[in-house]
Amino acid sequence: QVHLVQSGAEVKKPGASVKVSCRASGYTFGGYYIHWVRQAPGQGLEWMGWINPSSGGTNYAQRFQDRVTVTSDTSTSTAYMEVRRLRSDDTAVYYCARVSEMVYAEYYFDSWGQGTVVTVSS
Amino acid sequence: DIVMTQSPDSLAVSLGERATINCKSSQSVLSSSNNKNYLAWYHQKPGQPPKLLIYWASTRESGVPDRFSGSGSGTDFTLTISSLQAEDVAVYYCQQFYNIPLTFGGGTKVEIK
């Protein structure tokens, strides 16, 4: 059974960085793209970017390209997302999600992590 | 970017009655190469991540009750819950995966009347 387990909640000050992890199990980690989606309090879902865990290739939403980096470690089946220069409007729940089919970058998501709450406050 | 617009923002339906949610995309998400609509539906309960219900606009995910159905093509799509159950209270989202950036509708909150 596919499981994506994310790291715990974080509280950061404006201008700091945060790195969220997403550990996968139950499938071949390198075979499926991992995406990151965030949800601000009381708001909808916002796509941030993806990583091909096998090649390390990435693609980001334009608004996050200069502040977000997604990486992966195939030895531990873990994906990471770092957000730099945090602002108060980065306060959100951050989710990792797996696409449903091998080798496809942009697809629907069949498995999601439980979410990581990131609070940015001075 | 493809803008996904859902309606209504919320609806209250009696138990056992039908609930209908609409989703409109700003451009077609129908692929001419495989004749598939790159449209998925999820629901999200409080404190939980989204859960996949429907993909390719009308294919039900394994394990999803058959009271959930999806229809539509091109730019106009509908999610129907044929007989609302208490456990269906959630926020429902459509998502296009036709191109980058992937985009979601604003959500429709379904409640019991």
Side-chain angles (χ1 to χ4, degrees), chain B residues 18-37:
Chain B
R18 178 185 300 261
T20 301
I21 300 167
N22 300 301
C23 174
K24 187 175 184 66
S25 58
S26 61
Q27 64 187 74
S28 176
V29 298
L30 173 63
S31 171
S32 57
S33 63
N34 61 9
N35 202 38
K36 288 185 175 182
N37 287 282

Side-chain angles (χ1 to χ4, degrees), chain A residues 35 37 39 43-47 50 59-62 95 100 104-115, chain B residues 36 38 40 42 44 47-52 54-56 61 93 95 97-106:
Chain A
H35 292 236
V37 175
Q39 186 171 37
Q43 301 301 307
L45 301 164
E46 181 177 30
W47 179 77
W50 59 246
N59 197 342
Y60 302 103
Q62 190 167 11
Y95 294 102
S100 62
Y104 285 96
E106 289 101 36
Y107 235 58
Y108 52 91
F109 306 129
D110 66 349
S111 298
W112 295 68
Q114 83 276 19
Chain B
K36 288 185 175 182
Y38 283 56
Y42 304 83
Q44 184 180 32
Q48 297 185 17
K51 177 189 173 186
L52 178 66
I54 302 281
Y55 56 93
W56 300 132
E61 170 71 336
Y93 294 96
Q95 177 220 347
F97 50 102
Y98 185 78
N99 62 18
I100 292 291
L102 305 184
T103 49
F104 294 84

